[in-house]
Every structure is written in C-alpha cells, then in structure tokens.
Amino acid sequence: MKAPGTAVIHEVPRRVRELLFVGPCSWVELGVSPADWPDCRVVEKTREADAMRYLASKAVDVVITSPQTSASRVMNIAQQAQRLQPGVRVIVLAPTLSAADIVSALK
C-alpha cells in the first residue's frame, strides 16, 4: 500500500525464490508441501548427480536435503552446493543423528 501523496513510478515484481529439494521426498511425512511457499519455485531432484547438474546451471537460494539421506551424503551435498554456489543456504532434514554420526560425516 502506498503512502498518501506518493506516486508509484515503477513497481518491481518480487523475485521468485528457487528452492531445490535433493533426494526422495514425501511431503506428507514432512508435514509441508510446495504450496506452503507461494513465492518459491520448488524443484525436486531425487538423484544427487541431477541436483548437482541443476546447481551448476541455475541460481538456487536454498538446498534442502531429504531426511532419508545419510549424514555423510548430506555433508557431501552441502560441500558441493557451496562450491557450485558460494553462499547458498543448505537445510539438512534428518530423522535422528547421533553425535558419532555427525563427527563421522565431518571426517
């Protein structure tokens, strides 16, 4: 809404965010759906290699990993995503990880 006495010279459309989901996804299990992000374009890549090719060719704002992905694979995905697009946000969904799982993945 514009303030009284102001004129809109040029409205800039809001930029659509790009969200990349890597791995098998069950939106029902996650309790969310792509419709929950109306200003986002949600792209799903079940294979890690396909996701990396996508990251190499498209600007992505957020990468989300599947809770079914192992800790070591998640770390690899995060490192590759950062290499391909420095500053990209990576959200790791995990069912449960022990401290040993995390330490092992970081090695």
Side-chain angles (χ1 to χ4, degrees), residues 53-72:
R53 276 192 289 279
Y54 189 84
L55 275 170
S57 66
K58 303 280 186 197
V60 173
D61 297 291
V62 179
V63 176
I64 300 177
T65 63
S66 169
Q68 298 172 15
T69 305
S70 71
S72 61

Side-chain angles (χ1 to χ4, degrees), residues 34-85:
D36 293 327
W37 299 293
D39 295 330
C40 287
R41 179 170 179 249
V42 178
V43 176
E44 297 176 50
K45 298 291 181 183
T46 55
R47 294 184 55 235
E48 186 179 328
D50 294 336
M52 293 308 115
R53 276 192 289 279
Y54 189 84
L55 275 170
S57 66
K58 303 280 186 197
V60 173
D61 297 291
V62 179
V63 176
I64 300 177
T65 63
S66 169
Q68 298 172 15
T69 305
S70 71
S72 61
R73 296 303 319 145
V74 165
M75 294 303 293
N76 186 48
I77 291 168
Q79 288 173 342
Q80 288 184 58
Q82 286 292 320
R83 184 179 51 77
L84 291 168
Q85 295 191 29

Side-chain angles (χ1 to χ4, degrees), residues 71-72 75 96-107:
S72 61
M75 294 303 293
T96 53
L97 288 176
S98 68
D101 291 332
I102 296 168
V103 170
S104 175
L106 291 171
K107 289 182 180 181

